[in-house]
Amino acid sequence: GAGVSQSPRYKVAKRGQDVALRCDPISGHVSLFWYQQALGQGPEFLTYFQNEAQLDKSGLPSDRFFAERPEGSVSTLKIQRTQQEDSAVYLCASSLSLLREKELFFGSGTQLSVL
Amino acid sequence: QKEVEQNSGPLSVPEGAIASLNCTYSDRVSQSFFWYRQYSGKSPELIMSIYSNGDKEDGRFTAQLNKASQYVSLLIRDSQPSDSATYLCAVNIGAPGRYSTLTFGKGTMLLVSP
């Protein structure tokens, strides 16, 4: 596709419900990142994939958060037993380059509201 | 201490004025610096990148980097109401020679009044 695609655009979940957020990066982009952006804050790093390998998951806030990218393209961020503090916009970004100097292309995000 | 600091604003300037946005960072190893613009309810979009000390100009935008002072700024000349957005400073945090992730500041909200 032309850009990074995320779905759903909005998700309302009851506390304790499991959710799955999807990211379809730009074709050919090796690097894929998930960020969490709370209201009024900058994006906070969650996890990073290089192709299908999850190289860094140090930003995942708890073991309720799980991400995968099994074929090195589409990625899914799963949150189990959602809590109110999980409410945020979840941004996916992809990059062509593995180098430090890289441009991230962001998707439109999934706004998660946990009631 | 947060690794990337920005004044949250809002910074209010009249149309046609110069807007000056500032950012400081804590990691002396950082080599790459970025400014993203984020309109309300939208995703961040890259507007400037800078890697060397000094100024880098692109149209109405100028990024300035001073690694000794660990300071990076963004100047917007001839500000327009359409420039009203939150500007996020982002820094590559990590050792040279390996991948690194971007660390973002909280962002500065810019309001340009007609």
Side-chain angles (χ1 to χ4, degrees), chain A residues 100, chain B residues 25-33 67 91-94:
Chain A
R100 291 172 59 86
Chain B
Y25 60 95
S26 61
D27 183 8
R28 291 189 173 276
V29 178
S30 299
Q31 297 294 319
S32 309
F33 308 86
K67 291 185 179 180
V91 178
N92 267 125
I93 303 287

Side-chain angles (χ1 to χ4, degrees), chain A:
Chain A
V4 179
S5 177
Q6 291 188 248
S7 61
R9 184 72 179 88
Y10 303 94
K11 177 67 179 178
V12 178
K14 292 182 179 179
R15 191 172 57 182
Q17 184 179 349
D18 296 349
V19 298
L21 313 180
R22 175 189 169 103
C23 172
D24 197 344
I26 295 172
S27 178
H29 277 200
V30 172
S31 299
L32 186 146
F33 300 79
W34 284 98
Y35 284 83
Q36 179 191 60
Q37 187 173 25
L39 190 64
Q41 303 294 315
E44 296 276 351
F45 170 77
L46 293 177
T47 187
Y48 164 67
F49 289 87
Q50 179 180 317
N51 296 308
E52 69 279 4
Q54 188 175 21
L55 298 188
D56 188 344
K57 54 182 181 179
S58 62
L60 296 177
S62 77
D63 58 8
R64 296 186 294 103
F65 286 70
F66 171 77
E68 60 183 5
R69 193 186 185 197
E71 297 180 357
S73 55
V74 172
S75 177
T76 303
L77 176 66
K78 298 179 180 178
I79 308 173
Q80 296 177 324
R81 305 181 302 283
T82 52
Q83 303 295 313
Q84 284 188 321
E85 62 262 29
D86 300 335
S87 297
V89 175
Y90 290 85
L91 294 166
C92 176
S94 70
S95 173
L96 182 61
S97 173
L98 300 176
L99 301 177
R100 291 172 59 86
E101 294 75 30
K102 55 182 180 283
E103 177 178 355
L104 289 185
F105 293 87
F106 282 87
S108 298
T110 294
Q111 184 170 324
L112 173 64
S113 299
V114 181
L115 306 179

Side-chain angles (χ1 to χ4, degrees), chain B residues 3 30 34 39 62 71 75 113:
Chain B
E3 294 172 301
S30 299
F34 305 86
Y39 291 111
T62 298
Y71 175 91
L75 300 178
S113 54

Side-chain angles (χ1 to χ4, degrees), chain B residues 22-69:
Chain B
N22 304 313
C23 172
T24 58
Y25 60 95
S26 61
D27 183 8
R28 291 189 173 276
V29 178
S30 299
Q31 297 294 319
S32 309
F33 308 86
F34 305 86
W35 283 98
Y36 284 79
R37 178 176 61 198
Q38 187 173 28
Y39 291 111
S40 181
K42 302 295 185 183
S43 59
E45 56 176 328
L46 181 69
I47 53 172
M48 288 288 286
S49 59
I50 187 166
Y51 311 113
S52 304
N53 278 329
D55 295 359
K56 179 181 177 182
E57 186 174 320
D58 184 1
R60 295 186 296 112
F61 299 98
T62 298
Q64 299 174 318
L65 176 61
N66 183 326
K67 291 185 179 180
S69 300

